[in-house]
Amino acid sequence: MRRRPMVWVGLLLGVGFVGWYFWPRSAPPPPVAEPPPSPSSPRILFAERSVPIPEDNPQTPAKVALGRKLFYDTRLSKDNTIACASCHRPEFAFSDGGKPVSTGIFGRKGSRNAPTLTNVGFRRHLFWEGRSPRLELQAVGPLTAHDEMGLEPEELAQRLQAIPEYVQAFQEVFGEPPSLRAVTYAIAAFERTLVSYNSPFDRYQAGDDQALSPAALRGMELFFSEKGDCFHCHVGPDFTDDEPRNTALYTVYKDIGLARATGKDEDVGKFKTPTLRNVALTAPYMHDGSIRTLREVVQHYNRGGEPNLNADALIRPLGLTDQEVDDLVAFLEALTDTSFTTNPALLPPGGQGGAP
């Protein structure tokens, strides 16, 4: 009789242990989101990034193929001479190959330099003043602009609806006849495949110590230093903060930039920070293509720009020597990804090569 309490204690301890062991634990705390990677962080493999895809325009191989065909098709312009690829040529990292401004239909000239489409699917703002938040909306601009492709939405739809192969393709992809909306969605899907992360800089980041020349290494150190002071605006995997800034290019701006959209005096002369990916292939530079070479761009910033009341607070004389300017240029050239500009999946369908 005296041993019974000990038995009950043993049983209770046993049941308690079993309950502790099998009782469901509370869920572990969610992982803390990592900050966006920065090129200044050593050995980061940017090639593993995924382009964000909008819910209303899911990416499919058929849609990308249709968008690629449309991107290179001059029939999307009023006089059948201009395609998207006419101003965004693959061999120049999808910029306009040495032209300060592009030529549109009937020989009409634009007013701004055609920016590269390198990694354009990652951009939060599009156009030089960043007035468009997504690729689908951005594509409407050049398709309908008077001095670019110049087609009204109805005329564009009617033209494509008269082409049997397009009628079939749009039906298969969107379940509807060709329309301006579907055209922009297909082109946006193709543009999201324009991904470039295989430059010498990327290979260095991945662990190849020989990928960068001594000059490029010195330039990289300057780029991310307070003396070179490039990294505050050209930040992140694509070397851009996507923000509009006045870089003191002029004292008086003929093109007022962001102020065209906002009407604010303080926005006069502000243009979006461009990506530096493949920048060596995208000359000339700045929003109006007024600077011919990378060296001249670096020299502009080294001087501190022109007097301007709206100049960004970061604009100031840098005091770089000629050797340091050359080193910075060498680093910028090391952002060139030739596997991107020669990727067969991004060139015109049928392998013609070059732009229409």
Side-chain angles (χ1 to χ4, degrees), residues 2-87:
R2 291 181 179 177
R3 298 178 59 186
R4 186 167 295 175
M6 294 301 294
V7 172
W8 281 106
V9 169
L11 285 172
L12 287 172
L13 288 174
V15 170
F17 174 78
V18 172
W20 172 83
Y21 189 82
F22 289 102
W23 193 262
R25 305 294 192 274
S26 58
V32 177
E34 294 288 338
S38 166
S40 60
S41 303
R43 308 317 196 204
I44 290 178
L45 199 58
F46 299 121
E48 296 176 353
R49 298 183 78 206
S50 296
V51 177
I53 306 297
E55 292 184 2
D56 68 343
N57 193 21
Q59 205 88 337
T60 67
K63 189 185 296 180
V64 170
L66 175 58
R68 178 187 177 193
K69 185 173 295 185
L70 292 165
F71 185 87
Y72 288 100
D73 196 335
T74 58
R75 290 175 293 184
L76 270 64
S77 64
K78 184 78 172 180
D79 63 357
N80 293 295
T81 62
I82 302 297
C84 304
S86 301
C87 307

Side-chain angles (χ1 to χ4, degrees), residues 37-341:
S38 166
S40 60
S41 303
R43 308 317 196 204
I44 290 178
L45 199 58
F46 299 121
E48 296 176 353
R49 298 183 78 206
S50 296
V51 177
I53 306 297
E55 292 184 2
D56 68 343
N57 193 21
Q59 205 88 337
T60 67
K63 189 185 296 180
V64 170
L66 175 58
R68 178 187 177 193
K69 185 173 295 185
L70 292 165
F71 185 87
Y72 288 100
D73 196 335
T74 58
R75 290 175 293 184
L76 270 64
S77 64
K78 184 78 172 180
D79 63 357
N80 293 295
T81 62
I82 302 297
C84 304
S86 301
C87 307
H88 298 283
R89 302 170 60 181
E91 65 269 39
F92 297 105
F94 294 88
S95 67
D96 203 4
K99 299 177 184 175
V101 297
S102 296
T103 302
I105 55 173
F106 305 114
R108 296 167 184 161
K109 294 291 185 181
S111 60
R112 292 177 176 176
N113 182 254
T116 176
L117 299 184
T118 301
N119 299 338
V120 70
F122 291 101
R123 302 283 66 78
R124 292 181 288 111
H125 309 291
L126 300 158
F127 290 120
W128 270 104
E129 70 274 75
R131 69 179 186 272
S132 180
R134 59 181 300 191
L135 287 172
E136 287 80 359
L137 295 177
Q138 185 277 334
V140 176
L143 284 167
T144 60
H146 173 77
D147 55 0
E148 295 188 52
M149 301 169 82
L151 276 180
E152 295 294 330
E154 296 78 10
E155 187 178 2
L156 172 63
Q158 291 171 3
R159 186 176 291 191
L160 295 181
Q161 288 169 13
I163 303 173
E165 64 174 328
Y166 272 136
V167 172
Q168 180 179 350
F170 276 84
Q171 193 63 41
E172 291 174 355
V173 172
F174 295 103
E176 62 185 44
S179 65
L180 175 62
R181 175 189 173 280
V183 167
T184 62
Y185 273 52
I187 291 175
F190 170 67
E191 290 176 329
R192 290 192 174 95
T193 69
L194 304 179
V195 176
S196 171
Y197 293 112
N198 189 30
S199 67
F201 167 75
D202 295 295
R203 294 195 287 278
Y204 176 80
Q205 291 288 88
D208 181 358
D209 291 333
Q210 306 304 312
L212 294 181
S213 68
L217 285 170
R218 293 193 301 269
M220 182 173 69
E221 185 174 348
L222 265 174
F223 188 97
F224 294 112
S225 72
E226 292 296 334
K227 182 176 185 180
D229 208 12
C230 310
F231 69 101
H232 285 116
C233 306
H234 294 286
V235 66
D238 290 327
F239 297 86
T240 173
D241 60 2
D242 271 339
E243 296 297 327
R245 297 175 184 274
N246 183 318
T247 57
L249 182 61
Y250 301 112
T251 299
V252 177
Y253 278 80
K254 181 179 179 181
D255 183 342
I256 60 176
L258 180 61
R260 281 172 51 177
T262 67
K264 298 179 178 178
D265 290 342
E266 60 265 34
D267 290 335
V268 171
K270 288 184 178 179
F271 297 90
K272 199 166 70 75
T273 305
T275 177
L276 296 183
R277 290 279 176 182
N278 295 303
V279 69
L281 303 176
T282 65
Y285 303 102
M286 317 307 271
H287 70 280
D288 56 358
S290 58
I291 299 184
R292 296 174 304 160
T293 68
L294 277 177
R295 198 173 200 286
E296 290 171 350
V297 172
V298 176
Q299 288 171 327
H300 163 75
Y301 290 114
N302 194 28
R303 289 192 301 272
E306 303 298 326
N308 191 290
L309 293 176
N310 285 343
D312 193 277
L314 294 168
I315 300 294
R316 57 179 171 78
L318 300 175
L320 301 176
T321 65
D322 285 347
Q323 179 62 60
E324 288 172 328
V325 171
D326 289 340
D327 291 342
L328 270 176
V329 171
F331 174 63
L332 296 174
E333 291 173 340
L335 301 177
T336 303
D337 176 2
T338 55
S339 68
F340 172 63
T341 58

